[in-house]
Amino acid sequence: MSLHHKINIAIDGYSGCGKSTTAKAVAYQLGYTYIDTGAMYRAVTLYFQQKEVNISNLDEVDNALKDIEIRFILNSDSQKLHTFLNGVDVENQIRTPEVAAMVSPVAALSAVRKALVAQQRAMGKNKGVVMDGRDIGTVVFPDAECKFFLVADIDIRTGRRVKELALSGISVSFEEVKNNLLNRDHIDSNRADSPLRKADDAIEIDTSYISIEEQIHKVIDIAKNVIAQN
Ligand code: DC
């Protein structure tokens, strides 16, 4: 058992920089809990689509948010974390291009952010979480002991996302994926509430030309050093 106190680790950055793969591996190796906050925004988006919520009507949004319960459950066969929306496993549904196309406008709504940030803070209140997202180091856990900000070349990010989707049986063109990423970057970085930006004390890692193993190794090394000092 470690004599050190647990810390919170924030991993922010653009889509397709390997945030979730890195966060998952880091959490596994440290015995921490991994929380994919993007999945939470995707689950809300899926719910809004299913219920045909008009996102320009803030009363409708507020009412719908009251009916949403999101949970993560580890699938013991695949060892993969699955997102559950109101008790239903929606892990595959939230990764579709239809959800990806709508998630940024939904994530720009302050009511949505307020509800999800409260849940994220509760999940990390006892420390020992690795959380990936866009505003973890700036808004959710500004006091996180260890913060990373991942960036990568847009064509490389696109290629990674195309491959990931293909592995899930979804075939989308390079151009379509690239446009979705650029569009989401734009909305996520320019929204009024909690825009995507690097926290002043975050360590930036350009993942364009390093392997995922190197990337994980780098983050774990730094995190272990911080843990040793706590
Ligand atoms: O990481 P991802 O691609 O699954 O995230 C989906 C969207 O959710 C992303 O375009 C922006 C939004 N998001 C956010 O606004 N804040 C977070 N902490 C995580 C994701």
Side-chain angles (χ1 to χ4, degrees):
M1 202 178 86
S2 165
L3 294 173
H4 301 293
H5 291 298
K6 289 196 168 183
I7 64 166
N8 280 339
I9 300 173
I11 304 186
D12 289 306
Y14 297 90
S15 311
C17 293
K19 288 194 306 290
S20 61
T21 312
T22 305
K24 239 177 265 173
V26 172
Y28 180 76
Q29 292 203 30
L30 296 176
Y32 279 24
T33 303
Y34 164 58
I35 295 158
D36 175 356
T37 63
M40 299 171 78
Y41 288 94
R42 287 169 180 267
V44 169
T45 305
L46 177 67
Y47 185 84
F48 285 3
Q49 288 177 331
Q50 287 171 341
K51 302 287 174 189
E52 296 181 5
V53 173
N54 172 6
I55 66 165
S56 316
N57 182 332
L58 297 183
D59 286 335
E60 259 188 59
V61 168
D62 276 338
N63 278 329
L65 283 170
K66 288 183 197 131
D67 295 331
I68 297 178
E69 193 242 0
I70 299 166
R71 236 185 292 170
F72 295 110
I73 298 177
L74 189 73
N75 181 301
S76 50
D77 293 333
S78 64
Q79 283 302 303
K80 197 174 165 240
L81 208 60
H82 283 226
T83 310
F84 280 70
L85 169 64
N86 295 335
V88 178
D89 184 344
V90 292
E91 187 54 36
N92 292 332
Q93 273 172 287
I94 61 169
R95 308 288 167 194
T96 59
E98 290 72 28
V99 169
M102 270 306 292
V103 66
S104 283
V106 169
L109 298 170
S110 287
V112 171
R113 303 206 70 80
K114 201 172 156 203
L116 295 188
V117 167
Q119 289 183 30
Q120 291 154 12
R121 287 191 177 138
M123 290 169 175
K125 76 173 186 320
N126 295 325
K127 307 265 179 179
V129 304
V130 183
M131 204 173 264
D132 84 43
R134 304 291 187 291
D135 60 340
I136 312 305
T138 51
V139 174
V140 181
F141 292 122
D143 297 332
E145 292 81 353
C146 196
K147 300 180 187 178
F148 297 91
F149 192 79
L150 307 189
V151 299
D153 176 89
I154 180 66
D155 284 334
I156 290 175
R157 291 162 53 205
T158 305
R160 288 175 183 162
R161 195 39 64 90
V162 168
K163 222 186 244 175
E164 220 173 74
L165 287 166
L167 283 175
S168 320
I170 301 172
S171 147
V172 200
S173 75
F174 188 90
E175 279 315 307
E176 201 177 322
V177 172
K178 183 171 174 175
N179 287 336
N180 173 258
L181 291 184
L182 287 172
N183 189 36
R184 282 204 281 144
D185 287 355
H186 181 78
I187 301 175
D188 296 345
S189 307
N190 291 289
R191 66 184 174 220
D193 189 342
S194 321
L196 166 63
R197 69 168 183 83
K198 177 182 168 294
D200 294 337
D201 53 349
I203 297 165
E204 182 166 318
I205 302 177
D206 185 336
T207 74
S208 307
Y209 304 107
I210 57 174
S211 68
I212 191 71
E213 290 78 16
E214 263 178 278
Q215 183 172 328
I216 293 167
H217 198 72
K218 227 178 203 185
V219 170
I220 288 181
D221 267 2
I222 296 170
K224 279 187 173 163
N225 263 324
V226 175
I227 292 169
Q229 288 160 22
N230 268 263

